[in-house]
Amino acid sequence: SLGATFVGVYTTNPPKECEYVIDHSDSVVFICEDEEQMNKAFLFRMNTPNLKKIIVWDMEGLRDLDDPMVISFDEIMEIGGKADEENPTLFDRFVGEGNPRDIAGIIYTSGTTGPPKGAMLNHEGYLWVGEQAAKITQAGREDESISFLPLNHVYEQIFDLMMHMTVGHIVNFTENTDTVMNDMMDVSPTIFHAVPRIWEKYYSAIVLKMADATWFKRTAYGQAVRIGSKYNDLRLAGRKIPLPLYVGYHLAYFCVFRKLKERLGFDRTRLGFSGAAPISHDIIKFFQSIGIPIREGYGMTETTGVTHMGSEFEFKLGTVGKAIPGTEVRIGEGGEIIVRHKGIFQGYYRDEENTKEVLEDGWMHTGDVGEIDDEGYLRITDRMKDLIITAGGKNIAPQYIENQLKFSPYINDAIVIGDKRKYLTAIIVIDEENVLKFAQDAKVQFTTFATLTKAPEVVDLIQREISEVNRHMARVENIRKFKILDKKLYTEDGEVTPTMKVKRKSI
């Protein structure tokens, strides 16, 4: 209403990264949750001359703090109340002076290829994307979502800010990222959106839980998954389903999948979404088979989050859906996806050079490679910058191979390497929880995470998983050698973005 612009930082950002965003965006107010976040501002405020006030939400332990820059959120509310009493028409005047093209927010991109750039998004784009997303998801006031991704990431904002402003559905906030699975069971949202890492976690949890189940439960589950897979293969291909298979699937759903969904907190979920990074098609097929339809979407911060989105009924496996209504798409040189709609950003803040590079007559050059089929579905091949050209001149898209590797419950991340090299290699990050369980069951000797990654039994386990993926790949796409990383990847170390996308250059 004030015409102010919001800029977000992640709670995990170290002080130096906060300083960069606050200084670059010319922010005047730093709003933080508690003492821990406030202390970051104390470390950089001397270097951010535009910063005037630090507003603290939770003043626990700070009652005696006497600092002219610091003010509590409650005090701000009191000042606002007095201002409203003294000038009752002020709020309406501010609203009246607003322009749909005004900048609503500056979202700093996660910087997988360099320092973060501040994408300027306007009010019109936010509202427009919210309306389109609500149409495609057919969301209404009675729907419920659950919010656990960082709120200053554009993917989270689509569902819990833009769509909420459009339809007014209920947004539930998790206590923290560790309680997501328990909170899911409490809430059972009707629409659930997550990054691929979360869907992979759910899949791994089911596979390993069933491996430990009784013979009867394992057999019933295995049979149900086979029936569900056949049923959904035909359904996704738009083919007629034979009566015995139709009956068999509904029996499998009633006896196995229904209970499984309840235990996971998906019993009310009518639609799931995966975004912010590519997901393995096998994961989508698996969840579709057990009665949780997952749809992919595509977009970026610069397009206010979305340009393509699968719906409950319009969906094709291996694609990110059709363009949302009102979106123009063309495939440019080298297969680059170029898009234009009302939500395209207005440029990078204080960065004309990069703006000119990606924005041309309202068209956004995405830097992603893709193709559009006869029905209008978009298939993403890879990032242009990530394409590998081997020493033999073969073009290889690493993301597809990496997703196949990550389908293994024992592999958390895979980074395929091979540019200008004779063959492909990979750096593997193991899934600690699942490999730990394997090590305990197999009585593997280890003391720390690092020694676990070097245990011969673990190396053999990962080799088997890679060999299985190699069997389904062209020879040129085979992983010939691999190394298991003896540490996990952390945002704080600059190895992954806050939505767990790997920073390839850093690795």
Side-chain angles (χ1 to χ4, degrees):
S1 307
L2 287 171
T5 300
F6 70 77
V7 182
V9 288
Y10 296 96
T11 52
T12 52
N13 281 151
K16 217 56 194 145
E17 284 179 24
C18 293
E19 179 185 323
Y20 174 83
V21 171
I22 283 141
D23 184 49
H24 187 270
S25 63
D26 300 315
S27 291
V28 292
V29 176
F30 183 67
I31 304 175
C32 50
E33 183 183 0
D34 52 22
E35 187 177 5
E36 182 194 351
Q37 300 295 333
M38 180 196 75
N39 286 338
K40 292 180 186 178
F42 282 1
L43 290 172
F44 62 68
R45 61 179 171 177
M46 298 302 289
N47 306 325
T48 50
N50 289 310
L51 191 62
K52 302 286 185 286
K53 285 285 175 195
I54 299 165
I55 300 173
V56 184
W57 196 281
D58 176 4
M59 291 293 286
E60 192 179 339
L62 298 171
R63 296 288 169 205
D64 300 326
L65 179 73
D66 185 18
D67 190 301
M69 266 186 105
V70 179
I71 188 167
S72 75
F73 184 75
D74 291 340
E75 284 177 84
I76 283 285
M77 295 302 280
E78 280 173 34
I79 295 166
K82 282 175 190 163
D84 187 45
E85 280 172 30
E86 289 163 16
N87 194 344
T89 61
L90 188 66
F91 174 75
D92 292 329
R93 182 161 63 79
F94 277 137
V95 174
E97 286 170 3
N99 184 315
R101 300 289 293 168
D102 286 343
I103 304 301
I106 301 175
I107 299 185
Y108 278 78
T109 60
S110 45
T112 49
T113 54
K117 299 187 286 282
M120 298 185 283
L121 307 179
N122 61 38
H123 292 276
E124 180 181 50
Y126 265 108
L127 294 168
W128 183 80
V129 168
E131 283 167 18
Q132 305 315 313
K135 277 182 205 164
I136 293 164
T137 57
Q138 296 189 325
R141 280 179 71 84
E142 67 291 341
D143 275 307
E144 289 196 45
S145 66
I146 191 162
S147 176
F148 60 91
L149 297 170
L151 265 169
N152 61 307
H153 193 280
V154 76
Y155 177 48
E156 180 64 24
Q157 289 181 8
I158 294 168
F159 290 89
D160 294 335
L161 178 70
M162 304 177 217
M163 222 162 80
H164 175 74
M165 288 195 293
T166 309
V167 299
H169 70 299
I170 296 166
V171 180
N172 298 274
F173 290 90
T174 57
E175 288 175 57
N176 58 60
T177 46
D178 298 330
T179 64
V180 174
M181 288 188 171
N182 287 332
D183 295 337
M184 275 291 291
M185 286 186 273
D186 290 343
V187 172
S188 185
T190 58
I191 295 174
F192 181 69
H193 62 286
V195 291
R197 174 67 57 85
I198 300 295
W199 292 112
E200 288 156 9
K201 274 277 180 206
Y202 270 113
Y203 168 74
S204 297
I206 295 166
V207 168
L208 294 171
K209 199 122 186 118
M210 291 321 299
D212 278 350
T214 61
W215 175 86
F216 177 75
K217 281 185 179 175
R218 272 202 321 273
T219 308
Y221 167 78
Q223 194 62 32
V225 168
R226 275 190 289 278
I227 292 167
S229 190
K230 277 184 193 171
Y231 175 85
N232 275 293
D233 280 349
L234 291 175
R235 197 166 163 226
L236 294 173
R239 286 159 62 191
K240 194 167 182 253
I241 293 159
L243 186 62
L245 184 58
Y246 179 87
V247 173
Y249 176 74
H250 284 82
L251 263 173
Y253 184 86
F254 183 78
C255 299
V256 178
F257 300 147
R258 185 175 56 95
K259 272 275 178 236
L260 182 60
K261 281 170 71 175
E262 266 176 37
R263 290 213 175 141
L264 296 172
F266 283 109
D267 45 309
R268 294 199 306 150
T269 306
R270 59 179 180 80
L271 211 48
F273 282 93
S274 179
I279 187 171
S280 162
H281 302 157
D282 294 322
I283 296 276
I284 291 178
K285 280 172 87 170
F286 172 80
F287 281 103
Q288 183 82 24
S289 298
I290 67 170
I292 303 167
I294 300 180
R295 302 296 178 251
E296 276 195 275
Y298 168 72
M300 51 208 312
T301 305
E302 292 86 345
T303 63
T304 314
V306 67
T307 62
H308 291 72
M309 206 175 191
S311 74
E312 192 172 351
F313 306 106
E314 286 199 297
F315 164 69
K316 190 183 275 189
L317 192 67
T319 76
V320 290
K322 293 181 178 180
I324 60 175
T327 303
E328 299 170 79
V329 192
R330 53 187 169 90
I331 303 295
E333 203 177 318
E336 185 181 18
I337 302 159
I338 304 168
V339 291
R340 181 164 71 177
H341 65 35
K342 271 190 182 177
I344 299 296
F345 80 136
Q346 289 189 205
Y348 297 116
Y349 188 65
R350 291 172 52 188
D351 191 346
E352 277 186 40
E353 194 182 324
N354 274 309
T355 300
K356 281 178 187 167
E357 204 176 293
V358 298
L359 214 52
E360 197 179 341
D361 295 329
W363 289 91
M364 172 71 199
H365 291 251
T366 63
D368 287 321
V369 181
E371 51 198 39
I372 302 166
D373 70 13
D374 297 342
E375 295 173 90
Y377 288 96
L378 176 68
R379 187 185 304 278
I380 308 288
T381 315
D382 220 301
R383 289 287 296 164
M384 288 182 87
K385 290 172 184 168
D386 290 346
L387 283 174
I388 289 172
I389 302 170
T390 64
K394 294 284 184 187
N395 277 32
I396 292 167
Q399 276 182 357
Y400 176 70
I401 305 167
E402 288 163 356
N403 277 336
Q404 293 302 106
L405 292 167
K406 287 195 289 182
F407 186 59
S408 159
Y410 303 110
I411 296 175
N412 220 353
D413 264 311
I415 301 94
V416 172
I417 296 161
D419 205 37
K420 301 182 184 68
R421 299 187 183 196
K422 289 179 185 174
Y423 53 80
L424 298 186
T425 58
I427 292 174
I428 302 292
V429 181
I430 59 170
D431 185 302
E432 185 182 14
E433 196 182 332
N434 297 342
V435 173
L436 203 59
K437 188 184 179 308
F438 160 81
Q440 286 163 350
D441 292 347
K443 297 186 169 51
V444 175
Q445 299 292 311
F446 69 95
T447 49
T448 62
F449 181 81
T451 57
L452 176 67
T453 63
K454 290 178 175 66
E457 297 91 339
V458 170
V459 175
D460 288 346
L461 170 73
I462 299 303
Q463 179 62 72
R464 288 196 297 274
E465 298 295 302
I466 289 173
S467 299
E468 182 56 30
V469 169
N470 282 345
R471 278 195 326 112
H472 302 285
M473 295 284 176
R475 191 164 166 72
V476 73
E477 293 173 327
N478 276 201
I479 302 295
R480 306 283 179 87
K481 291 184 179 180
F482 70 94
K483 272 279 190 289
I484 302 175
L485 210 57
D486 61 2
K487 71 183 285 297
K488 288 176 272 187
L489 302 181
Y490 293 106
T491 335
E492 294 85 343
D493 295 344
E495 296 158 340
V496 287
T497 71
T499 51
M500 304 315 290
K501 261 192 290 195
V502 166
K503 293 190 177 185
R504 200 176 287 274
K505 273 191 180 175
S506 167
I507 305 300

